[in-house]
C-alpha cells in the first residue's frame, strides 16, 4: 500500500485533500491522471449497465433531498455506527472495530495440585488483518512486564459492542495504552447535516445524501410516468455520497466523501427475486473482471440471515483482496418493497405501478447493486500494481514499476514519442500523429529523455501503448508500437493503430 499511495501522489492520481493545510482526514482529491481514470470507470460502468442494456435508464438527482426522504428511508433513526470515545486522547473509535480480550492466566497450587484461572488485565487492538496476533503480542508483553506467573490461556477477542459495563473501565484505550478512558459505546449518526436558506433552526435542517439510492426511489413515480419503462427495469445513478465515518482509513477505501454507482432494479412482487439477485451478482463479477479487477482476487460474502434488516431478503457483497485484507467493494441487496412503500407512506403519493401484461397494480420490489467508484479505482490500482524488470537503454536489467490497468480504465491510452527531439522531420510527423490521435483519445506526447526512460514513465501510469516515430516512419509510414505488459514491439501503420485502439477501448 505504501508504494501505491506514494505512486498516486507522485504521478498525480490521488492527493490528500487540502494538502497545503495539512490534509483533511477522510477526504481526497483526484489529480490530472486520477480524474481521467475515475471518469473512465464511471463511463465504462454507464456504457455497460445503462446504454448497452434495454432495461435500464439513468438519473441524476440533486444531492440534497427533502429531509423527509431520510426519515422515510430510516437513515435519520438508524444510519448510525456505535462510537467509543477516549476521554484522554480525544480520539474516537468505531466500537465494532475496536477489539479487546481478557488476559487470563492459569496457575497451579503446589500445595493442593489444583489449578486456578484468573483474569489479570485486558488488552485491546484496532481491527486489522492481524488483530488476533496483535492482541496476543500485547497480552504476552503485559504478562512479562508485570512479572505475572502462570500459563497464559488462549485469548477470546470481542469487539466493544460486546463489552460488559464492568469491563469497560478495565479495557486499555488503543490511543494511550492505558485503561480507564474509554466510554461505553453510543450511537452516532453518520449523515452530514446542513441548513437550507438563512435560518439556522430545526426547520431548516437538511442532509448531504449518504447514498445515491434514495434519489432513485423518490423519482420512481416521475420515471414511470415518462412511459419509457416497463417492470422489470432499472434506474441507474452515479454521484457523490457523504458519510461522517468515525474512522476513515485504508487510503480512499473508507472516506467521508466518495462516489457511488447504484442501480435500483424493479421487479414484480411475485417475480423470482433470487434469480434476479444472482444475475446481478454475476454481472458485477464479470464486469469487474473485464475492467482489470480479476476474478481470482474477488470473492462473495453472504450476509447472515440474522444480521439482515427485517425487510431485507438477502445481501451478498463482492469482496476484493486488498493488501490490507479482504474487503467489500460491491453490495447486492434484495430490499423487497421497503423503500417505495416507506416513501408512499411518508409522502402520501402512490408508488404503485400498473402492469399491463399481468393486468395488476402493485408496488414493485427491488434488487439493489451498489458500488463505490473509489473502491473500484483502488481495487484496479492494487490489482494492476506490479514491479518487474526491464532492460535499460544499454540492455542492463533495471526495476520497472508497471500499472497493468485495463485499457478502458487507463488514464492515458497511448503515448507518442519521437525517437529524438532534434530531428525536425521526426518531430513534425509525431506532432501530426499526436494531433490526430488526441481528437479521439487521451494521448501523452513526450520527447524528453532516453526512449527506455520514456517507456518506464508510461508503464508507471499504466499507459497501454507507446508509439515511437523513428527514421523508418519517414521511409515507410510505420511506427514502433510497444505494448506495456509484454513490452513487445511491432511495426504498425496509422490505420492499424486506430483500428487497434477502437477495438480495445470499445
Ligand atoms: N444504497 C446502499 C448502500 O449505500 P453501502 O454498502 O452502505 O450500501 C455501497 O454502500 C457501496 O458504497 C459499498 O459497497 C462501497 O463500495 C461504497 N462505500 C460505502 N461507504 C463508503 C466509504 N465510506 N468510502 C468509500 N466507499 C464507500
Amino acid at each position: 500500500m505504501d508504494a501505491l499511495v506514494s505512486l498516486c501522489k507522485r504521478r498525480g492520481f490521488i492527493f490528500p485533500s487540502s494538502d497545503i493545510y495539512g490534509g483533511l482526514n477522510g477526504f481526497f482529491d483526484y489529480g490530472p491522471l486520477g480524474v481521467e481514470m475515475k471518469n473512465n470507470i464511471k463511463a465504462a460502468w454507464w456504457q455497460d449497465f445503462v446504454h448497452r442494456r434495454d432495461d435500464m435508464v439513468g438519473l441524476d438527482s440533486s444531492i440534497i433531498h427533502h429531509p423527509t426522504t431520510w426519515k422515510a428511508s430510516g437513515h435519520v433513526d438508524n444510519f448510525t455506527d456505535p462510537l467509543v470515545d477516549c476521554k484522554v486522547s480525544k480520539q474516537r473509535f468505531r466500537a465494532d472495530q475496536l477489539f479487546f480480550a481478557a488476559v487470563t492466566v492459569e496457575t497451579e497450587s503446589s500445595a493442593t495440585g489444583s489449578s486456578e484461572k484468573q483474569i489479570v488485565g485486558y488488552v485491546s487492538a484496532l481491527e486489522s488483518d492481524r488483530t488476533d496476533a496483535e492482541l496476543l503480542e500485547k497480552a504476552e508483553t503485559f504478562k512479562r512486564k508485570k512479572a505475572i506467573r502462570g500459563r497464559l490461556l488462549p485469548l477470546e477477542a470481542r469487539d466493544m459492542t460486546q463489552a460488559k459495563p464492568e469491563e469497560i473501565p478495565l479495557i486499555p484505550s488503543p490511543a494511550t495504552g492505558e485503561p480507564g478512558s474509554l466510554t461505553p459505546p453510543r450511537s452516532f449518526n453518520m449523515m452530514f447535516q446542513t441548513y437550507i436558506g438563512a435560518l439556522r433552526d430545526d426547520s431548516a435542517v437538511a442532509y448531504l445524501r449518504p447514498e445515491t439510492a434514495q434519489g432513485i426511489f423518490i423519482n420512481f413515480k416521475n420515471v414511470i410516468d415518462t412511459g419509457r419503462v416497463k417492470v422489470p427495469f432499472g434506474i441507474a445513478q452515479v454521484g457523490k455520497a457523504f458519510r461522517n465515518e468515525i474512522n476513515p482509513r485504508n487510503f480512499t477505501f473508507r472516506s467521508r466523501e466518495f462516489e457511488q454507482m447504484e442501480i435500483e432494479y424493479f421487479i414484480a412482487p411475485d417475480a423470482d427475486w433470487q434469480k434476479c439477485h444472482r444475475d446481478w451478482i454475476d454481472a458485477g463479477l464479470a464486469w469487474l473482471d473485464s475492467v482489470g479487477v480479476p476474478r481470482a482476487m474477488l470473492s462473495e460474502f453472504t450476509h447472515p440471515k440474522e444480521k439482515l434488516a427485517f425487510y431485507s431478503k438477502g445481501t451478498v457483497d463482492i469482496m476484493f483482496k486488498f493488501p490490507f485484507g479482504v474487503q467489500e467493494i460491491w453490495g447486492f441487496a434484495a430490499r423487497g418493497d421497503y423503500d417505495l412503500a416507506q416513501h408512499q407512506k411518508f409522502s402520501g403519493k402512490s408508488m404503485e405501478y400498473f402492469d399491463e401484461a399481468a393486468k395488476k397494480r402493485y408496488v414493485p420490489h427491488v434488487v439493489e447493486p451498489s458500488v463505490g467508484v473509489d473502491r473500484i479505482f483502488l481495487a484496479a490500482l492494487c490489482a494492476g500494481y506490479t514491479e518487474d524488470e526491464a532492460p535499460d537503454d544499454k540492455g542492463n536489467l533495471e526495476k520497472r514499476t508497471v500499472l497493468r490497468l485495463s485499457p478502458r480504465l487507463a488514464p492515458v491510452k497511448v503515448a507518442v514519442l519521437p525517437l529524438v527531439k532534434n530531428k525536425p522531420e521526426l518531430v513534425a510527423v509525431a506532432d501530426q500523429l499526436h494531433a490526430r490521435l488526441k481528437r479521439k483519445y487521451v494521448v501523452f506526447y513526450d520527447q524528453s529523455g532516453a526512449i527506455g526512460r520514456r517507456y518506464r514513465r508510461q508503464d508507471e501510469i499504466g499507459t497501454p501503448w507507446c508509439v515511437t516515430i523513428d527514421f523508418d516512419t519517414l521511409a515507410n509510414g510505420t511506427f514502433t508500437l510497444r505494448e506495456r505488459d509484454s513490452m513487445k514491439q511491432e511495426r504498425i501503420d496509422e490505420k492499424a493503430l486506430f483500428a487497434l485502439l477502437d477495438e480495445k477501448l470499445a
Side-chain angles (χ1 to χ4, degrees):
M1 272 314 281
D2 288 348
L4 195 69
V5 173
S6 140
L7 175 89
C8 280
K9 177 147 194 213
R10 188 161 34 84
R11 298 306 309 270
F13 280 90
I14 302 175
F15 307 126
S17 171
S18 319
D19 209 6
I20 59 166
Y21 293 106
L24 189 61
N25 195 11
F27 297 89
F28 294 90
D29 296 341
Y30 285 76
L33 293 179
V35 66
E36 296 297 340
M37 178 160 158
K38 204 176 187 209
N39 285 342
N40 292 342
I41 293 173
K42 292 186 276 183
W45 186 88
W46 195 264
Q47 201 166 38
D48 293 342
F49 288 115
V50 183
H51 290 168
R52 289 182 180 167
R53 292 180 61 124
D54 298 326
D55 56 350
M56 292 288 305
V57 290
L59 179 80
D60 184 15
S61 73
S62 61
I63 284 178
I64 294 180
H65 306 330
H66 191 290
T68 309
T69 307
W70 306 109
K71 194 78 194 141
S73 67
H75 284 78
V76 170
D77 296 324
N78 302 319
F79 194 59
T80 55
D81 266 345
L83 169 94
V84 167
D85 282 296
C86 168
K87 288 180 282 187
V88 172
S89 69
K90 307 287 177 225
Q91 283 195 43
R92 295 183 146 178
F93 307 99
R94 250 177 73 172
D96 56 347
Q97 292 174 354
L98 171 45
F99 285 80
F100 71 97
V103 183
T104 314
V105 291
E106 188 176 45
T107 45
E108 272 178 26
S109 154
S110 51
T112 62
S114 62
S115 66
E116 194 189 324
K117 290 178 194 163
Q118 193 191 354
I119 294 178
V120 292
Y122 283 81
V123 284
S124 67
L126 291 174
E127 186 186 40
S128 73
D129 50 355
R130 57 183 309 280
T131 310
D132 288 339
E134 205 181 313
L135 287 172
L136 184 59
E137 283 160 20
K138 285 184 175 170
E140 282 165 350
T141 310
F142 177 86
K143 184 170 167 285
R144 198 175 51 249
K145 276 198 178 154
K146 304 241 170 203
I148 295 168
R149 290 155 56 93
R151 187 170 70 89
L152 180 65
L153 293 181
L155 302 179
E156 280 173 29
R158 284 174 284 154
D159 71 47
M160 284 294 287
T161 61
Q162 297 160 298
K164 295 181 193 134
E166 63 273 22
E167 287 179 309
I168 291 170
L170 307 173
I171 299 168
S173 157
T176 63
E178 296 299 324
S181 64
L182 293 180
T183 63
R186 63 187 166 89
S187 287
F188 169 77
N189 194 297
M190 287 197 290
M191 283 198 292
F192 278 102
Q193 267 193 25
T194 186
Y195 296 93
I196 296 175
L199 285 175
R200 282 287 178 273
D201 63 18
D202 285 352
S203 69
V205 165
Y207 305 96
L208 302 190
R209 66 180 177 201
E211 61 170 23
T212 59
Q214 295 306 322
I216 299 179
F217 291 121
I218 60 176
N219 277 287
F220 171 74
K221 203 72 191 145
N222 287 334
V223 174
I224 54 170
D225 287 349
T226 63
R228 276 188 61 195
V229 290
K230 279 196 176 71
V231 171
F233 79 99
I235 305 178
Q237 167 152 247
V238 176
K240 290 268 186 175
F242 305 82
R243 295 183 189 178
N244 201 356
E245 297 281 355
I246 298 167
N247 261 333
R249 60 188 181 147
N250 291 329
F251 198 29
T252 56
F253 179 81
R254 192 176 303 288
S255 327
R256 288 179 166 138
E257 175 177 339
F258 54 97
E259 248 175 307
Q260 286 186 318
M261 304 191 287
E262 296 201 288
I263 291 169
E264 299 303 337
Y265 196 79
F266 299 99
I267 55 177
D270 55 3
D272 183 351
W273 71 266
Q274 268 125 331
K275 179 172 183 317
C276 176
H277 192 222
R278 187 67 242 167
D279 287 350
W280 275 109
I281 300 164
D282 290 340
L285 289 166
W287 189 80
L288 287 168
D289 196 58
S290 78
V291 296
V293 183
R295 187 68 185 83
M297 297 180 85
L298 300 171
S299 53
E300 287 177 33
F301 171 74
T302 304
H303 288 233
K305 282 229 152 49
E306 62 279 10
K307 292 220 168 154
L308 293 175
F310 69 91
Y311 51 81
S312 176
K313 295 178 166 179
T315 298
V316 171
D317 295 336
I318 295 182
M319 315 289 282
F320 176 76
K321 196 166 181 289
F322 286 101
F324 45 82
V326 174
Q327 298 280 351
E328 171 192 342
I329 50 177
W330 200 330
F332 297 81
R335 298 178 61 87
D337 65 356
Y338 173 76
D339 302 88
L340 286 183
Q342 283 292 99
H343 288 302
Q344 177 166 275
K345 186 169 143 198
F346 277 75
S347 68
K349 306 271 167 23
S350 167
M351 294 293 153
E352 282 185 339
Y353 165 82
F354 182 67
D355 189 324
E356 296 272 3
K359 300 275 176 267
K360 271 201 270 187
R361 194 172 283 284
Y362 53 75
V363 175
H365 286 214
V366 82
V367 168
E368 178 192 73
S370 168
V371 64
V373 180
D374 313 76
R375 288 201 185 167
I376 293 182
F377 192 112
L378 192 57
L381 286 184
C382 292
Y385 185 93
T386 353
E387 288 174 2
D388 61 10
E389 285 187 326
D392 66 11
D393 289 307
K394 297 194 180 74
N396 302 319
L397 282 183
E398 61 173 12
K399 192 183 115 184
R400 163 176 103 126
T401 301
V402 50
L403 274 187
R404 295 175 194 271
L405 299 174
S406 90
R408 275 178 101 189
L409 299 200
V412 176
K413 307 302 181 194
V414 55
V416 175
L417 319 172
L419 187 63
V420 283
K421 63 176 175 193
N422 55 1
K423 291 280 176 230
E425 58 279 33
L426 283 190
V427 172
V429 174
D431 276 348
Q432 287 157 16
L433 179 65
H434 178 217
R436 285 192 291 274
L437 279 169
K438 73 180 176 191
R439 291 171 71 92
K440 242 180 138 178
Y441 309 109
V442 178
V443 188
F444 194 86
Y445 184 90
D446 187 2
Q447 58 175 23
S448 54
I451 195 75
R453 288 199 139 221
R454 282 185 268 165
Y455 284 154
R456 239 33 105 244
R457 286 202 285 261
Q458 295 306 314
D459 291 341
E460 206 183 36
I461 61 166
T463 307
W465 300 282
C466 292
V467 283
T468 307
I469 289 78
D470 51 25
F471 294 102
D472 285 351
T473 315
L474 302 180
N476 62 21
T478 63
F479 327 104
T480 301
L481 178 81
R482 186 251 192 198
E483 201 268 332
R484 177 194 65 203
D485 298 347
S486 62
M487 295 185 274
K488 277 205 188 114
Q489 301 191 2
E490 59 174 309
R491 301 294 304 181
I492 190 170
D493 65 12
E494 187 169 330
K495 195 165 165 230
L497 174 64
F498 271 91
L500 173 95
L501 294 173
D502 282 348
E503 184 206 321
K504 300 283 184 191
L505 298 172

